[in-house]
Amino acid sequence: VLPASCTRQVRGYYVDWRMLRDVKRRKLAYEYADERLRINAIRKNTLLPKELQEVADKEIAALPRDSCPVRIRNRCVLTSRPRGVKRRWRLSRIVFRHFADHAQMSGVQRAMW
Amino acid sequence: TSTVLSTKEDGSTPSAASTTKTASKSQKDSAETPKQKLLNLIGNMKVEVSSMKKFQQLKKRETNKQSATHREGLGSRSSALPKAAEDFQRSKPLKRELVEAASAVASSLPLNKEQTESDLLAQLRRHEETTDKQKMGEIVNIRNVISDMTIKRESPAQRGARISSLISLELEEDGKRIKPERLGSQSSDSRRYFLNLKVGRRLNIFTKTSPDTEKTPTAASAPTIWDLEFAKEIAAVTEQPPRNGFEEMIQWTKEGILWEFPIDNEAGMEDDAEFHEHIFLEKHLEDFPKQGPIRHFMELVICGLSKNPYLTVKQKVEHIEWFQKYFEEKQEYLQEI
């Protein structure tokens, strides 16, 4: 995998392009997290004048679209499956089941009660 | 006749030694001959007076004299009475010869006889007090230690009294018994050595050795890359696989895989700032206007930051500075409004 700084040339081994785009979005969201927090703090209060808040609205809209954390999707790490992903293991249900049955998940056992 | 003598001198100067002399002066002012008569009477008598009675007598005399004169306000009245109580409990009062000698000296001197006599008596009494204190081992008066006037004389009776007092203290505190002789000897020796250490001259037996600053002058100021590589090679060759689980755990701890036990909650956290730098952030608000909605907003921001344990002080300061910059940029826009 290429170093984190250059994301334009893709010669790494992410599972698919969607996963790569998700990786980019995560990085940008991390970079702009503080700014977004501060501009949102200005927008979401009732003390400051409304004109200032409108200006802040425009500013936050001007930030790159991929910098907002809402666009991040918790995909499966191994298969890039967007759905059916358990957050604790970051794996999709199929991969999880595969590993658990082969006893490669520490502390995971078939439920029986 | 020890108690008798103490009453006698209290009759002469009822107040304490070093603090007030006004009472003594007023007593002197009244009459000299009645005092002499009193001295003679009491000297002949052999009466056992209790300490409480003496205290009450003293109190009465004090109240009488307080109305009379207040020339020199040396010390407080409140300290006089407990000191007087100490006077009562003193076992070794001034000898009659000393008193008479003091009066003779005072009469010989041309100045105020009564005052000189009272001063001399006070001096003598102070001497006796300090010697008694040294013997009893109650208070180490710094004044005495420095002036070095007192000579330590231990009579066996007083030493026994001291030891018994020490024993009683130890029993109350610990409930155990400690041998009295050891205690007494230790304390006396320690005190003697303590005093002796202060008085000493350099013997010049030992010479000061200068520490060796330049033991191994390195050829290069910093180890070169080749040296580092060589060191790594040696380490790689000499390291053996871990013989047991303990060595494996040691290796893991060195690498950072395993935490160090007992677990340090602040491992890896290098927050050098004190708590007040995190909480009292108002000093960063100096550049903001004092009134207005911006100030209100920033105070809320600071309140939130002070409750945030996850950010470092630097990050908090940067947060506030970002807002400052932002509002400065928008200031022209704000003034239009």
Side-chain angles (χ1 to χ4, degrees):
Chain A
V1 184
L2 286 171
S5 54
C6 88
T7 48
R8 280 171 207 132
Q9 269 194 320
V10 182
R11 258 182 265 140
Y13 296 108
Y14 285 119
V15 175
D16 52 11
W17 291 85
R18 282 170 287 176
M19 189 190 249
L20 184 97
R21 293 203 300 262
D22 195 57
V23 167
K24 281 195 228 170
R25 284 182 201 122
R26 282 170 193 263
K27 283 172 192 162
L28 272 185
Y30 181 80
E31 282 171 38
Y32 286 91
D34 292 337
E35 265 194 60
R36 285 194 96 95
L37 174 77
R38 288 156 190 169
I39 296 173
N40 267 325
I42 292 171
R43 282 173 67 221
K44 301 285 179 182
N45 69 65
T46 49
L47 306 167
L48 298 174
K50 282 182 190 171
E51 292 85 1
L52 195 66
Q53 285 172 354
E54 283 164 24
V55 170
D57 282 342
K58 288 176 203 162
E59 275 201 7
I60 204 168
L63 289 176
R65 197 164 275 195
D66 273 351
S67 65
C68 60
V70 191
R71 286 171 72 102
I72 294 170
R73 181 81 199 183
N74 291 326
R75 286 177 166 272
C76 169
V77 167
L78 291 177
T79 52
S80 180
R81 199 161 190 277
R83 294 191 177 117
V85 181
K86 286 310 279 181
R87 212 173 204 189
R88 182 171 169 185
W89 295 276
R90 301 180 187 175
L91 292 174
S92 84
R93 55 179 177 82
I94 304 156
V95 179
F96 174 81
R97 201 160 166 276
H98 178 267
F99 283 133
D101 286 340
H102 286 75
Q104 284 162 4
M105 296 293 274
S106 171
V108 174
Q109 193 188 21
R110 278 202 160 247
M112 191 166 30
W113 71 96
Chain B
T1 60
S2 61
T3 51
V4 172
L5 286 167
S6 60
T7 51
K8 169 204 80 181
E9 74 216 348
D10 287 318
S12 61
T13 54
S15 64
S18 54
T19 51
T20 57
K21 293 172 188 165
T22 55
S24 62
K25 276 178 222 145
S26 50
Q27 173 66 7
K28 292 270 177 284
D29 286 337
S30 57
E32 189 120 38
T33 45
K35 185 200 80 178
Q36 295 266 342
K37 282 184 198 168
L38 185 67
L39 285 173
N40 294 330
L41 274 170
I42 293 166
N44 296 328
M45 282 197 314
K46 284 189 184 179
V47 179
E48 284 275 328
V49 184
S50 68
S51 59
M52 272 307 295
K53 270 195 184 173
K54 287 184 225 166
F55 202 74
Q56 281 161 11
Q57 284 171 14
L58 179 69
K59 265 191 185 173
K60 284 178 206 164
R61 272 183 230 132
E62 284 278 347
T63 48
N64 289 337
K65 270 109 207 175
Q66 263 175 17
S67 57
T69 51
H70 290 274
R71 282 178 215 167
E72 301 170 55
L74 294 170
S76 59
R77 287 272 170 188
S78 56
S79 62
L81 293 172
K83 274 234 169 180
E86 268 184 35
D87 292 340
F88 287 117
Q89 286 150 22
R90 241 184 307 132
S91 55
K92 206 174 171 186
L94 290 173
K95 292 178 188 168
R96 201 185 285 181
E97 292 97 359
L98 287 173
V99 171
E100 286 174 8
S103 61
V105 164
S107 58
S108 67
L109 288 170
L111 296 169
N112 192 3
K113 291 175 193 176
E114 295 149 8
Q115 193 177 355
T116 49
E117 188 173 356
S118 67
D119 287 346
L120 286 165
L121 287 172
Q123 279 274 323
L124 288 165
R125 219 172 291 106
R126 241 181 279 144
H127 278 281
E128 292 298 326
E129 262 185 44
T130 48
T131 50
D132 286 342
K133 277 178 190 172
Q134 283 276 311
K135 284 173 209 168
M136 300 302 286
E138 286 161 28
I139 309 158
V140 179
N141 208 352
I142 299 165
R143 202 171 151 202
N144 296 336
V145 169
I146 292 164
S147 62
D148 209 18
M149 278 159 51
T150 58
I151 303 159
K152 193 166 176 193
R153 287 173 270 119
E154 274 197 359
S155 63
Q158 274 158 358
R159 198 184 167 193
R162 181 163 52 84
I163 287 156
S164 61
S165 70
L166 281 169
I167 291 166
S168 62
L169 280 170
E170 285 298 328
L171 279 172
E172 281 161 21
E173 288 167 10
D174 302 338
K176 296 173 195 168
R177 292 210 172 190
I178 302 165
K179 277 199 177 175
E181 290 117 31
R182 271 186 221 157
L183 256 180
S185 63
Q186 268 175 15
S187 54
S188 66
D189 288 337
S190 65
R191 232 179 293 114
R192 262 197 226 111
Y193 290 146
F194 176 65
L195 284 173
N196 283 342
L197 278 171
K198 288 197 169 177
V199 179
R201 276 179 283 105
R202 283 188 166 273
L203 294 168
N204 293 324
I205 295 169
F206 302 106
T207 54
K208 256 192 179 179
T209 54
S210 61
D212 294 329
T213 50
E214 302 171 46
K215 277 183 183 175
T216 56
T218 53
S221 58
T224 61
I225 300 167
W226 309 118
D227 293 334
L228 289 168
E229 283 297 317
F230 189 52
K232 278 185 203 170
E233 261 190 65
I234 290 168
V237 165
T238 52
E239 74 183 3
Q240 299 292 329
R243 294 176 295 177
N244 49 38
F246 291 119
E247 291 196 4
E248 197 182 29
M249 284 208 278
I250 290 168
Q251 208 175 0
W252 284 345
T253 309
K254 279 183 197 165
E255 286 171 34
I257 298 166
L258 201 59
W259 283 346
E260 285 184 17
F261 295 98
I263 288 179
D264 179 22
N265 275 327
E266 293 172 10
M269 199 169 91
E270 292 170 15
D271 202 8
D272 303 325
E274 299 283 320
F275 73 97
H276 56 84
E277 288 174 45
H278 275 94
I279 291 169
F280 301 114
L281 297 161
E282 278 179 358
K283 59 184 174 188
H284 303 293
L285 277 193
E286 282 167 12
D287 292 332
F288 284 94
K290 309 270 176 174
Q291 302 286 333
I294 293 178
R295 181 79 184 189
H296 193 172
F297 174 73
M298 287 314 295
E299 277 175 10
L300 286 175
V301 166
I302 270 168
C303 179
L305 280 178
S306 68
K307 293 182 191 178
N308 189 336
Y310 302 109
L311 298 178
T312 61
V313 174
K314 212 179 163 189
Q315 283 171 327
K316 291 183 187 177
V317 169
E318 276 173 16
H319 198 89
I320 296 168
E321 280 174 5
W322 185 92
F323 273 113
Q324 198 184 329
K325 240 193 322 178
Y326 184 82
F327 285 125
E328 272 174 19
E329 283 170 19
K330 305 295 167 207
Q331 207 165 20
E332 307 95 22
Y333 187 79
L334 285 170
Q335 276 156 6
E336 285 173 30
I337 303 165

